[in-house]
Amino acid sequence: MIDSVVQADAAPRLLPTADATSRPVGRIRRWWLAESIGLLVAVAFALVTVWHIDATDRSWLLYYDGDSVLPALVRGSVLSGQPQDWALSAVLFIPEMGLYFALSVLGLGFKGTFALNAVVNLLLFYGVLRFLSGVVQRERPRAHRVVGALVAFGTMTGFALLESSSGYNDFQLASLLATTTYYSMTVLASIATTALTVRLLKARGLSRWRWLELVLVGVAALSSLTNPLFLAWEVLPLGVVLALVAWKRVIRWRRSALAAALLALGSCLGLLARIPFGSLILRDGPSYVNPGKASVAAIFYPHMLAERASTIEGAVSLTAVIALILISVIVFRGSLATRDAGTAVLSGLAWLAPLAVMGGMILLGQFWVRYLQPLYFAPVCTLVLAPRLFTQGGALFRRLPDKAVKGLLAGLVVACLAVSTAAAGALGRSAAAVDPDLTCVKAWVSASHETGAGRFWAVRAAKALLPEPSQLVQVDSQFGEYAWLTNRTDYSSTKVSFVVTDAEPTPLVLPSAARTAPSSNVHCGRYTITDFGAPILPIGPSSPDPVP
């Protein structure tokens, strides 16, 4: 069973193959068959997952969340001709922005572009899992490598199907992969880095500056440039795993040191490349360190885990994650005993990264659960070894007649096409219907030709929908500037004529001019627009620490 992962047995093929004298054309046909079926299944999984998100409260996080709409805000600001002076967090979202801008060219509209982006994110996740599976299991049949990637991908999408709330700070982490700004590209880069490192360790010889080394340095540099979390999620845990594997003499220290040096070089280059972007980064590195709150964080995370486990879906999700971590530990120990470097690195990172990230967030006094995504995606990566972990199923499949195998594959293709068509149709219909409350706000603000203000969570989605995003300005609770993930040129309007509020319980303190000025209210569902008729409300200076 699990111990078989470290055995080099000749496992059965899961797709019918010809004998060893087959022509190259036959081999190419089987290659395309295995990869095409794998991709078709992955497309079905991805569409069903996004369909589920779209049909639940989680859709708010996908389409309208204050952070998620950032790419749409940037695009709208650029298209409106507004000068660009953005205030960002430590994350620059460079690949995320590039992907969103590319997809927006298709003209699918606001929701349609976000839905397509979610599907593409998931398919890219399958792609890096397929790359990882191929690297770790190079000696096994192609069909097994495809199946391994599909098992891991199906498990991650299964976790996402167990998530349905609109919250962005709880242990519903798998579905964050579908969003535009909750570090999906950092997840992909982490898995790709693991695969590249394993490939480097298994390469014969040590030729200098080959493509593999250059790609590894490049991925580490770009990932560190756009999101320093990459260092905590991948570089540091992977460095520890490389040291453990070398200490156990599975690989030579020289090979381990080379991989670690390339990762360190890429990371340093990425951090140095952040210097020119300094004016965009409102908050970075040391400002996120708050060890004085470590004791509170040590209580916070168990409380959030208990809250997630209080539901059936959450209990199933967390139990499965814990089981995967334990399986990874077992596989890691077995691979050390058999000196299987690739499996040791993969499985070692699968259990070490979640523990290291959880411990690190507690020590740093951080309270953002979204930083703990390795808790899900790292142990899921162990499942690319599924054909080696569980061989009995393959043996059973091999005993089936060729006609039965072909029939099963044909049935699988038909089922995937049917499911994909249904899911794509449902998403297309949903994409045409933007939230009516936001549509109401957008219509009124556009028709007013005036500039208004509101708090972060109240105006972000409506602002992203506007042809002129500068018509809505973010303010804090004291009606001061709230320059967080927004274009700072918005504040060139020193006074506004209306205010947009939502159901947030904390009151918005309006300037004294609002006490005596006549006003009228426009109700748009959860939003209220208070119109003063003229720009009489001054926007004050920002608070000393205006960002979360």
Side-chain angles (χ1 to χ4, degrees):
M1 293 292 288
I2 292 176
D3 288 339
S4 66
V5 69
V6 293
Q7 297 176 358
D9 58 319
R13 293 181 181 270
L14 297 187
L15 292 174
T17 61
D19 62 303
T21 61
S22 297
R23 294 179 179 180
V25 173
R27 290 195 296 269
I28 294 174
R29 185 181 298 115
R30 292 192 300 274
W31 184 93
W32 277 106
L33 179 62
E35 298 296 348
S36 298
I37 291 178
L39 181 59
L40 183 63
V41 174
V43 168
F45 281 171
L47 284 169
V48 168
T49 302
V50 179
W51 185 11
H52 163 78
I53 296 173
D54 177 88
T56 64
D57 291 342
R58 204 72 174 158
S59 61
W60 187 267
L61 191 72
L62 181 63
Y63 299 128
Y64 308 118
D65 174 75
D67 291 335
S68 298
V69 298
L70 177 63
L73 283 172
V74 175
R75 180 174 180 271
S77 179
V78 172
L79 292 179
S80 69
Q82 187 180 18
Q84 303 300 298
D85 182 20
W86 286 85
L88 301 178
S89 65
V91 187
L92 297 175
F93 305 109
I94 294 174
E96 291 90 344
M97 292 287 185
L99 177 59
Y100 180 87
F101 272 57
L103 297 177
S104 65
V105 175
L106 299 176
L108 299 178
F110 182 80
K111 285 182 65 178
T113 302
F114 277 117
L116 179 60
N117 200 316
V119 173
V120 172
N121 281 356
L122 292 174
L123 291 179
L124 289 174
F125 183 67
Y126 169 73
V128 293
L129 288 174
R130 177 63 186 88
F131 177 41
L132 179 64
S133 179
V135 167
V136 179
Q137 304 186 100
R138 293 186 67 191
E139 74 285 355
R140 298 186 71 82
R142 180 175 298 276
H144 285 199
R145 289 174 261 160
V146 172
V147 168
L150 284 176
V151 170
F153 183 65
T155 301
M156 192 67 168
T157 55
F159 284 137
L161 292 174
L162 294 172
E163 301 173 358
S164 58
S165 80
S166 60
Y168 64 95
N169 196 38
D170 53 29
F171 275 95
Q172 300 191 40
L173 300 175
S175 56
L176 295 183
L177 184 61
T179 65
T180 54
T181 53
Y182 286 114
Y183 321 137
S184 57
M185 292 301 163
T186 305
V187 173
L188 301 179
S190 297
I191 299 173
T193 299
T194 301
L196 289 168
T197 303
V198 170
R199 181 68 182 87
L200 179 64
L201 296 177
K202 297 177 75 171
R204 296 179 180 178
L206 290 173
S207 60
R208 182 174 294 178
W209 302 119
R210 298 181 311 170
W211 71 268
L212 186 58
E213 286 89 338
L214 290 174
V215 172
L216 182 57
V217 171
V219 170
L222 178 60
S223 303
S224 302
L225 162 64
T226 190
N227 189 357
L229 266 179
F230 175 75
L231 302 178
W233 283 9
E234 179 69 13
V235 175
L236 296 179
L238 183 54
V240 174
V241 171
L242 288 172
L244 283 174
V245 173
W247 179 52
K248 291 293 185 178
R249 299 184 180 180
V250 177
I251 58 175
R252 294 182 178 180
W253 279 104
R254 181 184 176 186
R255 184 63 65 91
S256 175
L258 172 64
L262 292 172
L263 288 169
L265 174 61
S267 300
C268 290
L269 291 175
L271 294 178
L272 289 174
R274 289 173 63 83
I275 295 175
F277 295 91
S279 62
L280 302 178
I281 301 171
L282 195 63
R283 189 173 185 179
D284 208 351
S287 62
Y288 285 92
V289 178
N290 196 356
K293 293 185 178 180
S295 59
V296 181
I299 299 173
F300 170 78
Y301 287 111
H303 171 75
M304 296 300 293
L305 284 169
E307 185 176 287
R308 176 62 174 151
S310 64
T311 64
I312 295 176
E313 297 86 354
V316 171
S317 179
L318 292 178
T319 300
V321 166
I322 293 171
L324 287 176
I325 292 175
L326 293 177
I327 289 173
S328 300
V329 172
I330 295 171
V331 172
F332 179 67
R333 294 189 61 182
S335 59
L336 290 180
T338 56
R339 300 171 65 87
D340 186 341
T343 302
V345 170
L346 169 61
S347 56
L349 198 60
W351 64 263
L352 180 63
L355 300 180
V357 172
M358 175 71 84
M361 290 301 104
I362 291 175
L363 292 176
L364 294 177
Q366 285 297 309
F367 300 92
W368 298 109
V369 180
R370 64 177 180 266
Y371 295 158
L372 302 180
Q373 290 181 57
L375 190 69
Y376 278 75
F377 75 77
V380 160
C381 289
T382 300
L383 291 178
V384 301
L385 301 168
R388 295 165 64 182
L389 290 169
F390 307 102
T391 58
Q392 284 81 356
L396 177 63
F397 200 81
R398 181 181 58 175
R399 289 195 292 269
L400 292 174
D402 283 352
K403 289 185 177 180
V405 173
K406 292 178 180 178
L408 289 173
L409 293 177
L412 177 63
V413 169
V414 171
C416 288
L417 289 174
V419 169
S420 298
T421 301
L427 286 172
R429 291 188 295 273
S430 174
V434 178
D435 181 83
D437 298 349
L438 289 170
T439 301
C440 173
V441 174
K442 172 193 173 184
W444 189 94
V445 173
S446 295
S448 73
H449 302 292
E450 297 287 347
T451 301
R455 279 180 291 193
F456 183 90
W457 300 109
V459 301
R460 295 281 290 186
K463 184 178 175 68
L465 288 167
L466 288 171
E468 297 288 339
S470 59
Q471 281 189 274
L472 282 176
V473 181
Q474 291 174 195
V475 293
D476 57 26
S477 296
Q478 302 301 315
F479 219 75
E481 295 181 4
Y482 190 78
W484 180 251
L485 303 184
T486 194
N487 192 340
R488 283 174 284 208
T489 58
D490 286 349
Y491 300 108
S492 59
S493 299
T494 57
K495 292 184 179 182
V496 297
S497 63
F498 64 89
V499 178
V500 179
T501 56
D502 58 6
E504 187 174 349
T506 305
L508 174 61
V509 180
L510 297 180
S512 57
R515 299 172 188 170
T516 57
S519 64
S520 60
N521 290 330
V522 178
H523 298 285
C524 291
R526 73 178 69 87
Y527 302 100
T528 299
I529 303 172
T530 304
D531 181 25
F532 293 89
I536 63 171
L537 304 180
I539 298 177
S542 62
S543 301
D545 186 17
V547 297

